[in-house]
Amino acid sequence: MPADVILGAQWGDEGKGKIVDLFSEKYDVIVRYQGGANAGHTVIVGKEKYVMHLLPSGVLHKNKINIIGHGVVLDVESLVEEIISLQKRGISISPKNLLISENASIVLPYHKMIDKAKEARKKGGKKIGTTGRGIGPAYTDKYVRIGVRLRDLYNDAVLLAKVEENLEEKNFLLKNFYSEKELVAKTVAAEAKKHAKFIKPYMANTVSVLHDLLKKGKKVIFEGAQGALLDIDFGTYPYVTSSNPTIGGVMTGTGVSHRDIKKVWGITKAYQTRVGNGPLPTEMDEDLGNKVREAGGEYGATTGRPRRCGWLDLVALKYVCELNGLSDILLTKIDVLSIFSGINVCTHYIYKGKKTQNFVSDGEELYTVKPVYKKLKGWGTDLTKARKYQDLPKAAKNYIKFIEKYTGVKVSIVSVGPERDQILKA
Ligand code: GDP
Ligand code: IMO
Ligand code: MG
């Protein structure tokens, strides 16, 4: 049975949580493939609000299998907190419906310390504005082949040796470069094992599990964290995260074959947001930005930071469609644009004095581009009650058609509010 992918087509927070939760009804298996506890995926069910950081957004549904692939950097403490807090709210989570890759790299306290200390040293505009969850340093260790993996928690000698090797270098840095306190290997190893017993039943060879499930004809959906413009390779480097939210990350982060992947859904808001530093060419002025932030509740689900808001950037969206071979676009938060009588969409950049439709992925260069806008008619009426495409006013339909024409990708689903039923098929 083929597998489908849902990934963020902007700088994160596109509404992946809501959509994956909704789509989960039709799938048997939901898989997270990259990122870590930097993610915050919100699911609203009636009066209840859930924010997933590491758990796939399918966990609220009964009789589904949720998998955390090895491409994820696992903050075990945060994961256990997340599991227990959901269990307390009556959500059943057990090794029957959650499996975690034994090869996932784990985030240790020194990763978070270095993440924060590195940021604190950077001057003003050079700061990335990370979530402080240790993501960059944990991926660094993975790629320099000194990372501690989940499986290592069950071999005391290996765990201690790895932590000792890591701390030799990290303590030097912590003390002499960052003026932080040094850590003791035995204490770090003991702390890392604190939840080992709890997690053990969930641990699995998720690559073979996934292939078995696919062979059995189970329907699988992959849930991206962050967004394509935060991708370490394709995003606005260096103002990016340290993983691949784009399509390649699905394969490297889970072991699924490209032949099993059918649809790739890209989620985009009807406008642009960004949390943290880095270029946002279509950023609105303070007054307009505040209006959108309030109307859209644009505050970070993980850090609570206000999100910066801008007009929809079609140059960036087209780049993301091409990179990922998007089969469909899912458009969220179009209801928020009801506050405007006219809506800007960015169709070109002026870059180095020339008009272009090519995205500029270098983070510093992107600061230099000037957006060229087309002004589209607003609709000025509430969309949150719409349940069918036909319910949308003409101007909203034209907005959607404009996106389709520009990108060449169909907008198949439109979301008009945070609740499960606030959705319509285009
Ligand atoms: P994610 O990280 O991509 O899962 O997105 P977040 O959960 O960080 O942020 C999206 C926010 O928008 C959440 O508060 C959602 O409840 C909310 N949301 C999702 N879809 C819609 C929509 O269509 N309209 C409105 N108004 N809110 C939405
Ligand atoms: P979800 O999955 C929005 C941003 C941070 C920072 C940059 C690097 O909820 O869409 P990191 O801590 O990853 O090293 O920070 O990436 N960032 C996100 N922005 N949504 C996210 O996740 C994000 N995860 C990281 O703000 O700019
Ligand atoms: Mg989020």
Side-chain angles (χ1 to χ4, degrees):
M1 193 53 92
D4 299 332
V5 177
I6 294 193
L7 55 83
Q10 297 173 305
W11 279 285
D13 303 328
E14 298 89 351
K16 298 176 290 293
K18 165 177 170 164
I19 300 293
V20 172
D21 163 70
L22 203 67
F23 275 40
S24 296
E25 273 179 32
K26 296 199 191 93
Y27 289 83
D28 307 300
V29 186
I30 304 96
V31 189
R32 265 284 300 270
Y33 58 91
Q34 47 66 237
N38 49 349
H41 297 179
T42 315
V43 181
I44 307 281
V45 187
K47 289 199 173 62
E48 296 293 318
K49 175 177 169 176
Y50 304 89
V51 180
M52 317 305 170
H53 299 289
L54 282 158
L55 291 172
S57 301
V59 286
L60 302 181
H61 293 265
K62 290 199 176 104
N63 305 321
K64 307 287 169 183
I65 296 175
N66 295 276
I67 295 180
I68 300 180
H70 62 264
V72 169
V73 283
L74 206 67
D75 182 333
V76 178
E77 175 104 41
S78 158
L79 176 65
V80 171
E81 261 173 40
E82 210 175 319
I83 294 173
I84 293 175
S85 107
L86 285 182
Q87 284 171 336
K88 281 189 183 148
R89 295 173 74 180
I91 309 299
S92 139
I93 300 180
S94 76
K96 282 200 184 121
N97 68 346
L98 175 67
L99 295 169
I100 307 163
S101 167
E102 58 199 0
N103 287 339
S105 294
I106 63 172
V107 179
L108 288 164
Y110 46 79
H111 295 129
K112 291 186 211 169
M113 285 169 76
I114 294 172
D115 187 4
K116 288 178 196 148
K118 239 186 199 335
E119 277 287 280
R121 273 184 67 86
K122 289 201 164 106
K123 303 265 179 309
K126 294 285 173 205
K127 286 186 195 292
I128 311 285
T130 72
T131 58
R133 299 296 195 270
I135 305 298
Y139 276 114
T140 303
D141 282 1
K142 170 175 173 168
Y143 288 109
V144 294
R145 297 158 293 184
I146 55 169
V148 178
R149 304 204 285 179
L150 186 60
R151 56 164 65 246
D152 300 330
L153 298 186
Y154 306 94
N155 185 329
D156 287 349
V158 168
L159 176 65
L160 187 62
K162 280 199 174 186
V163 174
E164 273 171 350
E165 185 197 353
N166 270 280
L167 281 182
E168 236 177 89
E169 191 184 341
K170 291 187 170 75
N171 272 340
F172 182 82
L173 270 179
L174 285 170
K175 183 175 164 210
N176 299 304
F177 190 66
Y178 294 122
S179 306
E180 292 282 337
K181 71 172 194 318
E182 291 174 278
L183 300 178
V184 178
K186 276 196 176 132
T187 318
V188 172
E191 278 284 303
K193 278 189 66 98
K194 199 166 106 191
H195 301 292
K197 212 169 149 199
F198 181 97
I199 288 292
K200 190 154 190 200
Y202 294 93
M203 198 172 75
N205 174 346
T206 51
V207 177
S208 62
V209 169
L210 189 57
H211 284 284
D212 286 346
L213 289 165
L214 283 164
K215 272 183 219 140
K216 280 185 193 148
K218 300 288 178 197
K219 287 191 79 184
V220 179
I221 185 111
F222 292 93
E223 173 180 7
Q226 291 79 53
L229 301 176
L230 285 171
D231 187 279
I232 186 76
D233 289 296
F234 300 107
T236 51
Y237 193 88
Y239 305 99
V240 290
T241 189
S242 299
S243 67
N244 290 114
T246 50
I247 188 68
V250 179
M251 284 158 274
T252 55
T254 67
V256 71
S257 148
H258 67 96
R259 278 189 305 189
D260 289 315
I261 296 174
K262 194 175 164 216
K263 280 195 169 247
V264 185
W265 307 77
I267 307 195
T268 178
K269 285 180 195 175
Y271 50 95
Q272 217 74 22
T273 65
R274 179 160 203 167
V275 61
N277 284 350
L280 174 56
T282 60
E283 189 157 11
M284 293 166 175
D285 65 27
E286 208 183 324
D287 184 38
L288 281 188
N290 287 342
K291 279 190 183 139
V292 173
R293 186 174 312 113
E294 291 320 309
E298 295 296 355
Y299 292 90
T302 295
T303 57
R305 291 177 294 177
R307 294 174 184 151
R308 295 153 60 198
C309 300
W311 300 109
L312 184 63
D313 184 341
L314 289 178
V315 177
L317 185 60
K318 189 157 184 275
Y319 167 71
V320 170
C321 289
E322 287 165 358
L323 269 183
N324 294 287
L326 294 190
S327 41
D328 301 75
I329 291 174
L330 283 151
L331 187 69
T332 60
K333 303 193 101 163
I334 193 170
D335 53 297
V336 175
L337 293 183
S338 297
I339 57 175
F340 294 115
S341 54
I343 301 168
N344 284 338
V345 283
C346 170
T347 57
H348 296 79
Y349 293 158
I350 305 288
Y351 177 51
K352 294 190 170 162
K354 288 199 178 114
K355 203 170 166 189
T356 178
Q357 286 187 307
N358 290 337
F359 187 64
V360 176
S361 68
D362 180 85
E364 304 301 348
E365 290 285 309
L366 189 59
Y367 273 119
T368 68
V369 310
K370 297 250 165 325
V372 178
Y373 292 112
K374 173 150 178 84
K375 195 162 200 118
L376 300 180
K377 252 181 144 179
W379 42 93
T381 52
D382 180 27
L383 300 186
T384 59
K385 310 238 165 21
R387 293 295 176 269
K388 292 196 296 289
Y389 185 70
Q390 294 85 304
D391 295 342
L392 293 176
K394 194 164 170 234
K397 285 183 191 152
N398 284 341
Y399 189 74
I400 295 166
K401 280 187 198 138
F402 194 86
I403 297 171
E404 289 181 325
K405 191 150 184 247
Y406 189 100
T407 58
V409 179
K410 184 163 176 45
V411 175
S412 317
I413 304 264
V414 180
S415 171
V416 292
E419 304 261 353
R420 275 179 174 167
D421 67 339
Q422 288 178 304
I423 197 95
L424 37 107
K425 280 209 172 105

